[in-house]
Amino acid sequence: MYQTDFLVIGSGIAGLFSALRLAAHGDVILVTKSDLEDSNSYFAQGGMAAALKEPDTPELHEEDTLRAGAGLCDRSAVKVLVEEGPQRVMELIGLGVEFDRVDGHIALTREGAHSQGRILHALGDSTGKAISDRLAQLTREHSNIHIKEDHFVAELLVQEGRCVGVLVVNPQQELEIYLARAVVLSSGGAGQVYAETSNPEAATGDGMALAYRAGAKLKDMEFIQFHPTVLVGSGTSQRFLISEAVRGEGAILRNVHGEPFMQKRHPLKDLAPRDVVARAIWREMEETKTPFVYLDATSLGSEHLKNRFPTIWARCQEQGLSMDRDYIPVAPAAHYFMGGVQTDLEGATSIPGLFACGEVACTGVHGANRLASNSLLETVVFGQRAALAAVEFARRHPILPDPSRFRDYVSALPRKDTWDNQEIHRLRGQTQKVMWDLVGLVRCNDSLTRAQRVLEELTLEVEELTAGVWSKEALELKNILLIGRLITKAALTRQESRGAHFRTDVPEPNEAWRKHIILQRDQLEPEFSAVD
Ligand SMILES: Cc1cc2nc3c(=O)[nH]c(=O)nc-3n(C[C@H](O)[C@H](O)[C@H](O)COP(=O)(O)OP(=O)(O)OC[C@H]3O[C@@H](n4cnc5c(N)ncnc54)[C@H](O)[C@@H]3O)c2cc1C
């Protein structure tokens, strides 16, 4: 049994940043199922968007964000993001994060659907690593922060409607109780719900599943961003991403016959919004009956490519491809979760005492489609807000509940000592494939209805197989399956195509559907909420 002032779940940039902010106000326990260096944040390549200097302004950044969000962004959240973003970036620099510079000035690049060059990057194409490493170092050095690596949060503990802590599986597979005055959920996204994803193994949607089971509202679950360009043939369950910044700096897409195709799809050509580019690639793949298209970066020159994109250059070399001479085979993959746990502007969820920030949260900034590089910015802007709101909540609710009740609860939980890991692995793969084939980049009523049926059957099988099993693999499988079902339910509900949600049976946006879909445990029917 552990007791603390603040509990942070997850060690991505949102978790690390909010832990550092919270640590100024009390004791923090940071629980992460991996080590501090394993997160989506760590893999972020392209950068962080912020309107730092003229002629760019927060207003222009706001316009671009709203346009990409396809009518579903919450304006007040976008205003917070673009107006507070530059200040948070300057604070990161103050904390020792070194963004790349040219002649002493911060280097800014462009990405798809940005009207200005406003993307900061670090270590070339390893921006996430640069920021995460520095924040992780500061976190490790901070005397108020106690880090629990390889600890899996299995449940949120709710008493009288307030979140008071979490149930954790430690590396010895024992169940531990952590109680806190306020809990910050920063457990990242859910790319692993899909068979093809740019996300690492850990992105299994745990936080959204935990929050849903505890009774929190989830919002906009149908909006998954599929990144247009992951490297085809890159092996592992995490596909290697070829950053949009490569197109931002002049690379173009070609079909397998070597023909450029984006000019026939969108006026912004290769820098059209991600959903447009991803679907254009999907169509070319269908028409040419090939599992990839090509990215042609040969015009950028070897020196520029090597210096600006050292990680991507090296990874291509490993696969026998030289970016300055060869076309790179690429295809879309699940990448970013626009929906998630519904929060207000202060990161408060619908459960008092539970705050959420980063990719797990749906703050309303991304709407139906995230503008590239806005998510890293969101982790720090809303990471800070969630931390400050948690401090205020803890000040008003200083008393922790009586731990004995939770001890009794945990000792009564069923426990199995042996289980079939191979079967768990197989069912994970099967779920991911159903989601990719039937609830992917292009959906329709028929595919979604079929998915719903298969996922229900899988749920029965998984529940039987994993009852009483507290292994990470079993808990992740249950979370993947739950989130898959919620995505499917929301996608079936939304009778239109908008942003990243594209249905062939209703291929156009419909003004009547310009509203959010909210899902909550024990509510059979979805709830709708107006766009701010
Ligand atoms: C390949 C790639 C490239 C990207 N490039 C960019 C980019 O250039 N610009 C940009 O803005 N965005 C980019 N993104 C998106 C961006 O990286 C993420 O949205 C952002 O980093 C999310 O940060 P986070 O802190 O919310 O979550 P994460 O960084 O994913 O961290 C989540 C943490 O929670 C932990 N966790 C999860 N479940 C549990 C549990 N049950 N118990 C305990 N701990 C748990 C995980 O182990 C992890 O430490 C990219 C994403 C990927 C995958």
Side-chain angles (χ1 to χ4, degrees), residues 9-15 31-34 38-41 43-47 151-153 186-189 198-200 202 206 210 241 335-336 357-360 370 373-376 379:
I9 306 171
S11 59
I13 293 175
V31 182
T32 180
K33 69 176 177 178
S34 48
D38 183 11
S39 61
N40 273 10
S41 296
F43 291 97
Q45 295 178 344
H151 282 61
F152 190 100
V153 176
S186 40
S187 53
S198 64
N199 291 190
D206 298 348
L210 292 171
L241 188 79
H335 182 58
Y336 183 80
C357 56
E359 196 167 337
V360 70
R370 173 186 68 130
S373 285
N374 265 359
S375 45
L376 283 186
T379 60

mmCIF file of all heavy atoms in Angstrom, residues 9-15 31-34 38-41 43-47 151-153 186-189 198-200 202 206 210 241 335-336 357-360 370 373-376 379, ligand 1:
data_model
loop_
_atom_site.group_PDB
_atom_site.id
_atom_site.type_symbol
_atom_site.label_atom_id
_atom_site.label_comp_id
_atom_site.label_asym_id
_atom_site.label_seq_id
_atom_site.Cartn_x
_atom_site.Cartn_y
_atom_site.Cartn_z
ATOM 1 N N ILE A 9 0.246 8.521 -14.173
ATOM 2 C CA ILE A 9 0.295 7.229 -14.883
ATOM 3 C C ILE A 9 0.882 7.474 -16.272
ATOM 4 O O ILE A 9 0.259 8.125 -17.104
ATOM 5 C CB ILE A 9 -1.110 6.612 -15.012
ATOM 6 C CG1 ILE A 9 -1.778 6.516 -13.634
ATOM 7 C CG2 ILE A 9 -1.037 5.236 -15.690
ATOM 8 C CD1 ILE A 9 -3.246 6.127 -13.691
ATOM 9 N N GLY A 10 2.097 6.936 -16.494
ATOM 10 C CA GLY A 10 2.707 7.053 -17.826
ATOM 11 C C GLY A 10 3.912 7.973 -17.833
ATOM 12 O O GLY A 10 3.942 8.997 -17.143
ATOM 13 N N SER A 11 4.921 7.585 -18.603
ATOM 14 C CA SER A 11 6.164 8.365 -18.640
ATOM 15 C C SER A 11 6.476 8.866 -20.038
ATOM 16 O O SER A 11 7.637 8.947 -20.441
ATOM 17 C CB SER A 11 7.318 7.516 -18.108
ATOM 18 O OG SER A 11 7.446 6.343 -18.904
ATOM 19 N N GLY A 12 5.426 9.183 -20.804
ATOM 20 C CA GLY A 12 5.663 9.927 -22.043
ATOM 21 C C GLY A 12 5.900 11.381 -21.686
ATOM 22 O O GLY A 12 6.046 11.732 -20.505
ATOM 23 N N ILE A 13 5.902 12.242 -22.689
ATOM 24 C CA ILE A 13 6.192 13.651 -22.398
ATOM 25 C C ILE A 13 5.089 14.254 -21.522
ATOM 26 O O ILE A 13 5.373 15.044 -20.613
ATOM 27 C CB ILE A 13 6.405 14.445 -23.709
ATOM 28 C CG1 ILE A 13 7.685 13.947 -24.388
ATOM 29 C CG2 ILE A 13 6.511 15.943 -23.432
ATOM 30 C CD1 ILE A 13 7.980 14.538 -25.742
ATOM 31 N N ALA A 14 3.825 13.858 -21.741
ATOM 32 C CA ALA A 14 2.739 14.399 -20.913
ATOM 33 C C ALA A 14 2.961 14.025 -19.444
ATOM 34 O O ALA A 14 2.847 14.869 -18.547
ATOM 35 C CB ALA A 14 1.392 13.869 -21.395
ATOM 36 N N GLY A 15 3.292 12.754 -19.196
ATOM 37 C CA GLY A 15 3.483 12.296 -17.819
ATOM 38 C C GLY A 15 4.693 12.938 -17.161
ATOM 39 O O GLY A 15 4.627 13.397 -16.010
ATOM 40 N N VAL A 31 3.990 6.080 -12.133
ATOM 41 C CA VAL A 31 3.921 4.646 -12.436
ATOM 42 C C VAL A 31 3.933 4.470 -13.939
ATOM 43 O O VAL A 31 3.131 5.090 -14.651
ATOM 44 C CB VAL A 31 2.608 4.037 -11.878
ATOM 45 C CG1 VAL A 31 2.557 2.536 -12.150
ATOM 46 C CG2 VAL A 31 2.469 4.300 -10.396
ATOM 47 N N THR A 32 4.829 3.629 -14.429
ATOM 48 C CA THR A 32 4.845 3.386 -15.875
ATOM 49 C C THR A 32 5.060 1.902 -16.148
ATOM 50 O O THR A 32 5.837 1.241 -15.450
ATOM 51 C CB THR A 32 5.904 4.262 -16.584
ATOM 52 O OG1 THR A 32 5.880 3.978 -17.965
ATOM 53 C CG2 THR A 32 7.302 4.038 -16.040
ATOM 54 N N LYS A 33 4.363 1.394 -17.156
ATOM 55 C CA LYS A 33 4.446 -0.054 -17.379
ATOM 56 C C LYS A 33 5.725 -0.451 -18.110
ATOM 57 O O LYS A 33 6.041 -1.621 -18.230
ATOM 58 C CB LYS A 33 3.215 -0.544 -18.142
ATOM 59 C CG LYS A 33 3.105 -0.105 -19.583
ATOM 60 C CD LYS A 33 1.888 -0.764 -20.230
ATOM 61 C CE LYS A 33 1.684 -0.297 -21.653
ATOM 62 N NZ LYS A 33 0.542 -0.955 -22.289
ATOM 63 N N SER A 34 6.410 0.572 -18.630
ATOM 64 C CA SER A 34 7.657 0.290 -19.349
ATOM 65 C C SER A 34 8.802 0.905 -18.539
ATOM 66 O O SER A 34 8.691 1.075 -17.346
ATOM 67 C CB SER A 34 7.573 0.943 -20.719
ATOM 68 O OG SER A 34 7.127 2.274 -20.562
ATOM 69 N N ASP A 38 10.371 4.327 -22.857
ATOM 70 C CA ASP A 38 9.575 3.594 -23.844
ATOM 71 C C ASP A 38 8.175 4.203 -23.915
ATOM 72 O O ASP A 38 7.360 4.009 -23.027
ATOM 73 C CB ASP A 38 9.487 2.111 -23.450
ATOM 74 C CG ASP A 38 8.720 1.306 -24.491
ATOM 75 O OD1 ASP A 38 8.465 1.843 -25.578
ATOM 76 O OD2 ASP A 38 8.370 0.156 -24.196
ATOM 77 N N SER A 39 7.917 4.942 -24.971
ATOM 78 C CA SER A 39 6.620 5.617 -25.100
ATOM 79 C C SER A 39 6.477 6.072 -26.541
ATOM 80 O O SER A 39 7.451 6.091 -27.295
ATOM 81 C CB SER A 39 6.585 6.837 -24.190
ATOM 82 O OG SER A 39 7.599 7.745 -24.579
ATOM 83 N N ASN A 40 5.274 6.453 -26.921
ATOM 84 C CA ASN A 40 5.103 7.069 -28.240
ATOM 85 C C ASN A 40 5.971 8.320 -28.338
ATOM 86 O O ASN A 40 6.533 8.624 -29.383
ATOM 87 C CB ASN A 40 3.638 7.476 -28.451
ATOM 88 C CG ASN A 40 2.811 6.337 -29.015
ATOM 89 O OD1 ASN A 40 3.269 5.211 -29.079
ATOM 90 N ND2 ASN A 40 1.594 6.640 -29.419
ATOM 91 N N SER A 41 6.037 9.047 -27.217
ATOM 92 C CA SER A 41 6.800 10.301 -27.215
ATOM 93 C C SER A 41 8.224 10.073 -27.709
ATOM 94 O O SER A 41 8.784 10.874 -28.458
ATOM 95 C CB SER A 41 6.879 10.863 -25.793
ATOM 96 O OG SER A 41 5.609 11.201 -25.322
ATOM 97 N N PHE A 43 9.377 8.141 -29.780
ATOM 98 C CA PHE A 43 9.545 7.889 -31.215
ATOM 99 C C PHE A 43 9.175 9.080 -32.086
ATOM 100 O O PHE A 43 9.308 9.019 -33.303
ATOM 101 C CB PHE A 43 8.715 6.671 -31.634
ATOM 102 C CG PHE A 43 9.261 5.395 -31.061
ATOM 103 C CD1 PHE A 43 8.737 4.851 -29.903
ATOM 104 C CD2 PHE A 43 10.336 4.764 -31.662
ATOM 105 C CE1 PHE A 43 9.254 3.695 -29.362
ATOM 106 C CE2 PHE A 43 10.868 3.604 -31.127
ATOM 107 C CZ PHE A 43 10.322 3.061 -29.962
ATOM 108 N N ALA A 44 8.646 10.149 -31.485
ATOM 109 C CA ALA A 44 8.205 11.293 -32.295
ATOM 110 C C ALA A 44 9.390 11.832 -33.088
ATOM 111 O O ALA A 44 10.464 12.069 -32.547
ATOM 112 C CB ALA A 44 7.608 12.364 -31.406
ATOM 113 N N GLN A 45 9.177 11.988 -34.367
ATOM 114 C CA GLN A 45 10.289 12.378 -35.241
ATOM 115 C C GLN A 45 10.231 13.851 -35.610
ATOM 116 O O GLN A 45 11.115 14.642 -35.342
ATOM 117 C CB GLN A 45 10.224 11.571 -36.538
ATOM 118 C CG GLN A 45 10.433 10.103 -36.389
ATOM 119 C CD GLN A 45 10.292 9.376 -37.733
ATOM 120 O OE1 GLN A 45 9.763 9.917 -38.692
ATOM 121 N NE2 GLN A 45 10.772 8.158 -37.775
ATOM 122 N N GLY A 46 9.106 14.202 -36.268
ATOM 123 C CA GLY A 46 9.022 15.480 -36.989
ATOM 124 C C GLY A 46 9.208 16.675 -36.113
ATOM 125 O O GLY A 46 10.099 17.498 -36.343
ATOM 126 N N GLY A 47 8.385 16.816 -35.077
ATOM 127 C CA GLY A 47 8.603 17.941 -34.204
ATOM 128 C C GLY A 47 7.399 18.442 -33.464
ATOM 129 O O GLY A 47 6.416 17.740 -33.288
ATOM 130 N N HIS A 151 5.684 -1.247 -13.817
ATOM 131 C CA HIS A 151 4.488 -1.399 -12.983
ATOM 132 C C HIS A 151 3.272 -1.087 -13.853
ATOM 133 O O HIS A 151 3.208 -0.007 -14.461
ATOM 134 C CB HIS A 151 4.528 -0.447 -11.785
ATOM 135 C CG HIS A 151 5.415 -0.917 -10.676
ATOM 136 N ND1 HIS A 151 6.774 -1.115 -10.853
ATOM 137 C CD2 HIS A 151 5.146 -1.247 -9.387
ATOM 138 C CE1 HIS A 151 7.294 -1.538 -9.706
ATOM 139 N NE2 HIS A 151 6.332 -1.622 -8.806
ATOM 140 N N PHE A 152 2.352 -1.998 -13.898
ATOM 141 C CA PHE A 152 1.203 -1.881 -14.814
ATOM 142 C C PHE A 152 -0.046 -1.441 -14.037
ATOM 143 O O PHE A 152 -0.462 -2.116 -13.094
ATOM 144 C CB PHE A 152 0.960 -3.249 -15.463
ATOM 145 C CG PHE A 152 -0.022 -3.218 -16.595
ATOM 146 C CD1 PHE A 152 0.410 -3.205 -17.913
ATOM 147 C CD2 PHE A 152 -1.390 -3.191 -16.345
ATOM 148 C CE1 PHE A 152 -0.504 -3.167 -18.954
ATOM 149 C CE2 PHE A 152 -2.306 -3.152 -17.386
ATOM 150 C CZ PHE A 152 -1.857 -3.139 -18.694
ATOM 151 N N VAL A 153 -0.633 -0.335 -14.444
ATOM 152 C CA VAL A 153 -1.873 0.096 -13.784
ATOM 153 C C VAL A 153 -3.031 -0.723 -14.364
ATOM 154 O O VAL A 153 -3.293 -0.684 -15.569
ATOM 155 C CB VAL A 153 -2.126 1.602 -13.973
ATOM 156 C CG1 VAL A 153 -3.468 1.994 -13.368
ATOM 157 C CG2 VAL A 153 -1.009 2.405 -13.318
ATOM 158 N N SER A 186 -1.832 9.809 -17.982
ATOM 159 C CA SER A 186 -1.111 10.266 -19.180
ATOM 160 C C SER A 186 -0.507 9.029 -19.847
ATOM 161 O O SER A 186 0.692 8.942 -20.063
ATOM 162 C CB SER A 186 -0.039 11.290 -18.807
ATOM 163 O OG SER A 186 0.620 10.925 -17.623
ATOM 164 N N SER A 187 -1.396 8.092 -20.142
ATOM 165 C CA SER A 187 -0.950 6.767 -20.582
ATOM 166 C C SER A 187 -0.931 6.597 -22.091
ATOM 167 O O SER A 187 -0.787 5.476 -22.579
ATOM 168 C CB SER A 187 -1.854 5.710 -19.939
ATOM 169 O OG SER A 187 -3.187 6.024 -20.215
ATOM 170 N N GLY A 188 -1.085 7.689 -22.839
ATOM 171 C CA GLY A 188 -0.842 7.635 -24.282
ATOM 172 C C GLY A 188 -1.967 7.013 -25.090
ATOM 173 O O GLY A 188 -3.096 6.830 -24.623
ATOM 174 N N GLY A 189 -1.624 6.654 -26.332
ATOM 175 C CA GLY A 189 -2.617 6.288 -27.333
ATOM 176 C C GLY A 189 -2.872 4.800 -27.455
ATOM 177 O O GLY A 189 -2.605 4.014 -26.540
ATOM 178 N N SER A 198 2.229 2.703 -36.443
ATOM 179 C CA SER A 198 3.542 3.313 -36.187
ATOM 180 C C SER A 198 3.862 3.281 -34.694
ATOM 181 O O SER A 198 4.963 3.628 -34.292
ATOM 182 C CB SER A 198 3.505 4.779 -36.625
ATOM 183 O OG SER A 198 2.575 5.483 -35.810
ATOM 184 N N ASN A 199 2.893 2.878 -33.872
ATOM 185 C CA ASN A 199 3.070 2.962 -32.408
ATOM 186 C C ASN A 199 3.816 1.758 -31.841
ATOM 187 O O ASN A 199 3.634 0.631 -32.309
ATOM 188 C CB ASN A 199 1.710 3.013 -31.706
ATOM 189 C CG ASN A 199 0.931 4.297 -31.929
ATOM 190 O OD1 ASN A 199 -0.071 4.523 -31.273
ATOM 191 N ND2 ASN A 199 1.364 5.136 -32.857
ATOM 192 N N PRO A 200 4.588 1.993 -30.776
ATOM 193 C CA PRO A 200 5.272 0.862 -30.124
ATOM 194 C C PRO A 200 4.283 -0.075 -29.425
ATOM 195 O O PRO A 200 3.120 0.279 -29.222
ATOM 196 C CB PRO A 200 6.186 1.546 -29.101
ATOM 197 C CG PRO A 200 5.601 2.892 -28.882
ATOM 198 C CD PRO A 200 4.895 3.269 -30.146
ATOM 199 N N ALA A 202 3.624 -0.786 -26.533
ATOM 200 C CA ALA A 202 2.948 -0.368 -25.289
ATOM 201 C C ALA A 202 1.671 0.433 -25.537
ATOM 202 O O ALA A 202 0.878 0.618 -24.612
ATOM 203 C CB ALA A 202 3.917 0.466 -24.451
ATOM 204 N N ASP A 206 -4.615 1.471 -22.775
ATOM 205 C CA ASP A 206 -4.949 1.102 -21.385
ATOM 206 C C ASP A 206 -5.708 2.210 -20.658
ATOM 207 O O ASP A 206 -6.688 1.948 -19.968
ATOM 208 C CB ASP A 206 -3.671 0.805 -20.573
ATOM 209 C CG ASP A 206 -2.890 -0.366 -21.123
ATOM 210 O OD1 ASP A 206 -3.414 -1.092 -21.981
ATOM 211 O OD2 ASP A 206 -1.734 -0.537 -20.694
ATOM 212 N N LEU A 210 -9.160 1.907 -18.833
ATOM 213 C CA LEU A 210 -9.274 2.064 -17.367
ATOM 214 C C LEU A 210 -10.334 3.102 -17.027
ATOM 215 O O LEU A 210 -11.174 2.902 -16.152
ATOM 216 C CB LEU A 210 -7.935 2.574 -16.796
ATOM 217 C CG LEU A 210 -6.721 1.663 -16.829
ATOM 218 C CD1 LEU A 210 -5.470 2.440 -16.433
ATOM 219 C CD2 LEU A 210 -6.938 0.511 -15.872
ATOM 220 N N LEU A 241 8.236 4.782 -39.014
ATOM 221 C CA LEU A 241 7.584 5.943 -39.628
ATOM 222 C C LEU A 241 8.550 6.755 -40.496
ATOM 223 O O LEU A 241 9.694 6.965 -40.106
ATOM 224 C CB LEU A 241 7.074 6.847 -38.507
ATOM 225 C CG LEU A 241 6.203 8.005 -38.945
ATOM 226 C CD1 LEU A 241 4.792 7.514 -39.217
ATOM 227 C CD2 LEU A 241 6.172 9.083 -37.879
ATOM 228 N N HIS A 335 -1.916 5.665 -36.418
ATOM 229 C CA HIS A 335 -0.827 6.494 -35.896
ATOM 230 C C HIS A 335 -1.203 7.285 -34.645
ATOM 231 O O HIS A 335 -0.478 7.284 -33.668
ATOM 232 C CB HIS A 335 -0.409 7.456 -37.004
ATOM 233 C CG HIS A 335 0.723 8.346 -36.644
ATOM 234 N ND1 HIS A 335 1.947 7.863 -36.254
ATOM 235 C CD2 HIS A 335 0.829 9.702 -36.617
ATOM 236 C CE1 HIS A 335 2.762 8.875 -36.004
ATOM 237 N NE2 HIS A 335 2.099 10.001 -36.197
ATOM 238 N N TYR A 336 -2.355 7.929 -34.678
ATOM 239 C CA TYR A 336 -2.661 8.854 -33.580
ATOM 240 C C TYR A 336 -4.137 8.787 -33.234
ATOM 241 O O TYR A 336 -4.990 8.663 -34.110
ATOM 242 C CB TYR A 336 -2.287 10.290 -33.962
ATOM 243 C CG TYR A 336 -2.516 11.243 -32.827
ATOM 244 C CD1 TYR A 336 -1.592 11.346 -31.800
ATOM 245 C CD2 TYR A 336 -3.685 11.996 -32.750
ATOM 246 C CE1 TYR A 336 -1.817 12.179 -30.717
ATOM 247 C CE2 TYR A 336 -3.924 12.833 -31.674
ATOM 248 C CZ TYR A 336 -2.979 12.923 -30.666
ATOM 249 O OH TYR A 336 -3.213 13.746 -29.592
ATOM 250 N N CYS A 357 -4.194 13.968 -19.633
ATOM 251 C CA CYS A 357 -3.496 14.843 -20.582
ATOM 252 C C CYS A 357 -2.693 13.987 -21.565
ATOM 253 O O CYS A 357 -2.408 12.818 -21.304
ATOM 254 C CB CYS A 357 -2.581 15.821 -19.868
ATOM 255 S SG CYS A 357 -1.369 15.037 -18.798
ATOM 256 N N GLY A 358 -2.330 14.612 -22.697
ATOM 257 C CA GLY A 358 -1.588 13.887 -23.726
ATOM 258 C C GLY A 358 -2.548 13.096 -24.597
ATOM 259 O O GLY A 358 -3.753 13.367 -24.655
ATOM 260 N N GLU A 359 -2.015 12.065 -25.243
ATOM 261 C CA GLU A 359 -2.795 11.364 -26.265
ATOM 262 C C GLU A 359 -4.008 10.624 -25.682
ATOM 263 O O GLU A 359 -5.004 10.405 -26.387
ATOM 264 C CB GLU A 359 -1.883 10.396 -27.025
ATOM 265 C CG GLU A 359 -2.502 9.941 -28.330
ATOM 266 C CD GLU A 359 -1.513 9.246 -29.246
ATOM 267 O OE1 GLU A 359 -0.294 9.458 -29.125
ATOM 268 O OE2 GLU A 359 -1.984 8.481 -30.112
ATOM 269 N N VAL A 360 -3.961 10.243 -24.422
ATOM 270 C CA VAL A 360 -5.097 9.528 -23.823
ATOM 271 C C VAL A 360 -6.325 10.427 -23.712
ATOM 272 O O VAL A 360 -7.456 9.949 -23.661
ATOM 273 C CB VAL A 360 -4.715 8.969 -22.428
ATOM 274 C CG1 VAL A 360 -4.536 10.093 -21.409
ATOM 275 C CG2 VAL A 360 -5.736 7.987 -21.927
ATOM 276 N N ARG A 370 -5.987 15.458 -36.553
ATOM 277 C CA ARG A 370 -4.928 16.242 -35.906
ATOM 278 C C ARG A 370 -4.023 16.909 -36.927
ATOM 279 O O ARG A 370 -3.589 16.282 -37.892
ATOM 280 C CB ARG A 370 -4.078 15.305 -35.047
ATOM 281 C CG ARG A 370 -2.855 15.947 -34.458
ATOM 282 C CD ARG A 370 -2.006 14.919 -33.747
ATOM 283 N NE ARG A 370 -1.422 13.982 -34.675
ATOM 284 C CZ ARG A 370 -0.115 13.671 -34.697
ATOM 285 N NH1 ARG A 370 0.716 14.221 -33.840
ATOM 286 N NH2 ARG A 370 0.348 12.787 -35.552
ATOM 287 N N SER A 373 2.219 17.558 -35.718
ATOM 288 C CA SER A 373 3.077 18.180 -34.692
ATOM 289 C C SER A 373 2.335 18.959 -33.622
ATOM 290 O O SER A 373 2.940 19.611 -32.774
ATOM 291 C CB SER A 373 4.167 19.059 -35.326
ATOM 292 O OG SER A 373 5.151 18.225 -35.875
ATOM 293 N N ASN A 374 1.009 18.912 -33.649
ATOM 294 C CA ASN A 374 0.251 19.558 -32.569
ATOM 295 C C ASN A 374 0.176 18.691 -31.319
ATOM 296 O O ASN A 374 -0.132 19.190 -30.246
ATOM 297 C CB ASN A 374 -1.188 19.858 -33.029
ATOM 298 C CG ASN A 374 -1.328 21.285 -33.545
ATOM 299 O OD1 ASN A 374 -0.371 22.058 -33.536
ATOM 300 N ND2 ASN A 374 -2.513 21.628 -34.004
ATOM 301 N N SER A 375 0.439 17.378 -31.456
ATOM 302 C CA SER A 375 0.229 16.526 -30.283
ATOM 303 C C SER A 375 1.346 16.677 -29.255
ATOM 304 O O SER A 375 1.088 16.637 -28.052
ATOM 305 C CB SER A 375 0.063 15.065 -30.681
ATOM 306 O OG SER A 375 1.021 14.709 -31.614
ATOM 307 N N LEU A 376 2.577 16.839 -29.714
ATOM 308 C CA LEU A 376 3.644 17.062 -28.727
ATOM 309 C C LEU A 376 3.385 18.370 -27.991
ATOM 310 O O LEU A 376 3.601 18.476 -26.781
ATOM 311 C CB LEU A 376 5.018 17.098 -29.409
ATOM 312 C CG LEU A 376 5.626 15.760 -29.824
ATOM 313 C CD1 LEU A 376 7.041 15.971 -30.353
ATOM 314 C CD2 LEU A 376 5.651 14.765 -28.675
ATOM 315 N N THR A 379 0.851 17.834 -25.316
ATOM 316 C CA THR A 379 1.299 17.147 -24.091
ATOM 317 C C THR A 379 1.792 18.153 -23.046
ATOM 318 O O THR A 379 1.540 17.978 -21.856
ATOM 319 C CB THR A 379 2.446 16.133 -24.349
ATOM 320 O OG1 THR A 379 3.561 16.823 -24.905
ATOM 321 C CG2 THR A 379 2.041 14.995 -25.234
HETATM 322 C C1 LIG B 1 6.438 7.109 -34.617
HETATM 323 C C2 LIG B 1 5.724 8.317 -34.077
HETATM 324 C C3 LIG B 1 6.092 9.582 -34.520
HETATM 325 C C4 LIG B 1 5.421 10.712 -34.022
HETATM 326 N N1 LIG B 1 5.838 11.959 -34.416
HETATM 327 C C5 LIG B 1 5.243 13.047 -33.866
HETATM 328 C C6 LIG B 1 5.722 14.351 -34.168
HETATM 329 O O1 LIG B 1 6.696 14.526 -34.884
HETATM 330 N N2 LIG B 1 5.076 15.403 -33.603
HETATM 331 C C7 LIG B 1 4.005 15.272 -32.756
HETATM 332 O O2 LIG B 1 3.462 16.272 -32.294
HETATM 333 N N3 LIG B 1 3.557 14.041 -32.461
HETATM 334 C C8 LIG B 1 4.151 12.941 -32.970
HETATM 335 N N4 LIG B 1 3.690 11.699 -32.637
HETATM 336 C C9 LIG B 1 2.614 11.586 -31.630
HETATM 337 C C10 LIG B 1 3.196 11.894 -30.254
HETATM 338 O O3 LIG B 1 4.435 11.283 -30.135
HETATM 339 C C11 LIG B 1 2.271 11.400 -29.164
HETATM 340 O O4 LIG B 1 0.980 11.844 -29.358
HETATM 341 C C12 LIG B 1 2.727 11.908 -27.794
HETATM 342 O O5 LIG B 1 4.093 11.682 -27.640
HETATM 343 C C13 LIG B 1 1.926 11.249 -26.703
HETATM 344 O O6 LIG B 1 2.545 11.504 -25.478
HETATM 345 P P1 LIG B 1 1.910 10.964 -24.154
HETATM 346 O O7 LIG B 1 2.818 11.386 -23.049
HETATM 347 O O8 LIG B 1 0.492 11.346 -24.085
HETATM 348 O O9 LIG B 1 1.930 9.367 -24.318
HETATM 349 P P2 LIG B 1 3.126 8.358 -24.560
HETATM 350 O O10 LIG B 1 4.346 9.066 -24.983
HETATM 351 O O11 LIG B 1 2.616 7.293 -25.448
HETATM 352 O O12 LIG B 1 3.387 7.749 -23.124
HETATM 353 C C14 LIG B 1 2.455 6.873 -22.521
HETATM 354 C C15 LIG B 1 3.085 6.267 -21.298
HETATM 355 O O13 LIG B 1 2.102 5.589 -20.532
HETATM 356 C C16 LIG B 1 2.600 4.329 -20.132
HETATM 357 N N5 LIG B 1 1.442 3.442 -19.895
HETATM 358 C C17 LIG B 1 0.475 3.105 -20.782
HETATM 359 N N6 LIG B 1 -0.410 2.262 -20.206
HETATM 360 C C18 LIG B 1 0.009 2.075 -18.929
HETATM 361 C C19 LIG B 1 -0.465 1.286 -17.842
HETATM 362 N N7 LIG B 1 -1.536 0.488 -17.939
HETATM 363 N N8 LIG B 1 0.225 1.323 -16.683
HETATM 364 C C20 LIG B 1 1.339 2.089 -16.557
HETATM 365 N N9 LIG B 1 1.836 2.833 -17.555
HETATM 366 C C21 LIG B 1 1.177 2.833 -18.724
HETATM 367 C C22 LIG B 1 3.487 3.901 -21.293
HETATM 368 O O14 LIG B 1 4.379 2.896 -20.939
HETATM 369 C C23 LIG B 1 4.160 5.239 -21.600
HETATM 370 O O15 LIG B 1 5.215 5.457 -20.717
HETATM 371 C C24 LIG B 1 4.353 10.563 -33.102
HETATM 372 C C25 LIG B 1 3.981 9.293 -32.674
HETATM 373 C C26 LIG B 1 4.665 8.172 -33.144
HETATM 374 C C27 LIG B 1 4.260 6.823 -32.662
#
